[in-house]
Amino acid sequence: MKKIANFIILLSVLTLGGNKSFGQIIVRVRPARPAVVINRPPAPSPRHVWVDEDWQLSGGRYVWHGGYWTAPPRPGAFYVRGHWRNTRRGSIWVPGHWR
């Protein structure tokens, strides 16, 4: 009986821990891109990749985030820029990601 109870607890923890939330905020009017000039500093190493400026969701609203240098998570990976996707209800920001 104890083994069955432990199995059920383990199964429920794994099931609940594996769920992801994909909340989205739909906007009818896209925020304007700030007119800020970013001076790109030199790369820390030849392996680093520049990730362009883009929007980030913070506190229920979109804020502009400056670019930065980062190392790819694995060899051969490349960064796909974030973009706005139009839907019938408005626009959704699709964040940049590694592919």
Side-chain angles (χ1 to χ4, degrees):
M1 186 70 173
K2 189 174 181 179
K3 287 183 180 181
I4 294 173
N6 287 341
F7 177 74
I8 291 172
I9 291 171
L10 177 64
L11 185 63
S12 64
V13 168
L14 292 176
T15 302
L16 293 175
N19 292 338
K20 289 185 178 179
S21 174
F22 293 104
Q24 297 176 336
I25 295 179
I26 297 174
V27 295
R28 298 205 186 272
V29 178
R30 293 182 189 173
R33 182 178 183 193
V36 176
V37 177
I38 304 292
N39 291 327
R40 187 184 301 186
S45 76
R47 186 171 168 258
H48 281 72
V49 176
W50 179 257
V51 174
D52 284 326
E53 305 84 14
D54 64 5
W55 297 100
Q56 286 186 337
L57 193 57
S58 176
R61 60 187 207 128
Y62 290 107
V63 293
W64 187 251
H65 183 270
Y68 58 93
W69 288 103
T70 187
R74 62 191 171 281
F78 61 94
Y79 190 78
V80 178
R81 288 188 67 174
H83 61 278
W84 289 100
R85 185 177 69 207
N86 294 323
T87 68
R88 291 182 306 165
R89 295 172 41 204
S91 297
I92 298 172
W93 176 251
V94 179
H97 57 277
W98 290 98
R99 185 173 288 178

